[in-house]
Amino acid sequence: MNTQTFTKAAQETAEKAAEQTERVEAYYTSVKRLGHWTGARTIDVTARRGSVQLDLRSAQIPEGDLEVRITGERSLLKLLVPDGTVVDERELAYEGRSEVKDAQRHSASGGRRLKLTGVLKRSEVRIVRGGMATLTAMFSREFVEDCRTAHRGGTLPTVHAPESVREGTPRDAD
């Protein structure tokens, strides 16, 4: 009975997190959110002359469609997504020289759906998948800090592959 209570409480917490909206703002700066940083399926990104890098590969994000609401002005938004993610950009408005770069746009299928909405004003969205997403995360200061913290705590780092490593997993666990 006690185990069922904890399981039910964890499920309710995950459902509440999924209903929440995460806000990310970058005004004339660079913002990175890597690893397990959110459990929400809706993310509001506001960027003006800045860059934002979001990791959407986390196992803590509940199943279902993701929505990224973008307001970008002369900015760069880089989204790290798992292989097979289908990107839907039909509701994204472009002003000036704006674009969504996705090298695997036409080959993605069968995965989670990522819906991009909002307005891009002379801005760019880059979709990075699979191995390139892992390398992008690994070549960051956040990864080095995550490795140091994991080493001190006897756990595994999560920034490089958040979809397969739960936060706080001991190093000896298989």
Side-chain angles (χ1 to χ4, degrees), residues 71 107 137 168:
T71 305
S107 63

Side-chain angles (χ1 to χ4, degrees), residues 19-138:
E19 293 172 6
Q20 294 177 347
T21 299
E22 188 79 35
R23 293 187 53 81
V24 179
E25 296 179 345
Y27 297 104
Y28 301 94
T29 189
S30 178
V31 175
K32 289 185 180 182
R33 299 284 190 268
L34 300 174
H36 300 299
W37 65 278
T38 186
R41 285 197 306 236
T42 304
I43 302 163
D44 282 338
V45 178
T46 305
R48 179 175 297 129
R49 293 183 183 253
S51 68
V52 177
Q53 184 172 327
L54 301 179
D55 193 347
L56 303 176
R57 301 172 298 152
S58 177
Q60 292 183 352
I61 300 174
E63 291 298 318
D65 294 349
L66 295 174
E67 181 178 4
V68 179
R69 301 175 189 152
I70 306 167
T71 305
E73 184 178 330
R74 294 182 185 252
S75 301
L76 170 67
L77 173 60
K78 186 181 282 191
L79 301 174
L80 309 180
V81 299
D83 279 332
T85 302
V86 178
V87 179
D88 179 7
E89 58 188 88
R90 289 178 287 184
E91 295 183 32
L92 191 59
Y94 302 95
E95 292 183 17
R97 195 171 182 182
S98 300
E99 64 182 322
V100 175
K101 290 186 176 180
D102 185 2
Q104 299 175 9
R105 175 183 318 232
H106 301 293
S107 63
S109 64
R112 169 177 259 176
R113 182 171 167 255
L114 175 62
K115 182 178 174 183
L116 302 178
T117 62
V119 179
L120 290 177
K121 298 177 183 176
R122 293 171 295 286
S123 297
E124 182 176 303
V125 176
R126 294 181 188 165
I127 308 296
V128 184
R129 304 169 190 266
M132 288 306 296
T134 301
L135 289 173
T136 300
M138 287 178 72

Side-chain angles (χ1 to χ4, degrees), residues 6-24:
F6 287 126
T7 305
K8 191 173 185 181
Q11 188 176 22
E12 289 174 2
T13 304
E15 288 173 3
K16 287 179 184 177
E19 293 172 6
Q20 294 177 347
T21 299
E22 188 79 35
R23 293 187 53 81
V24 179

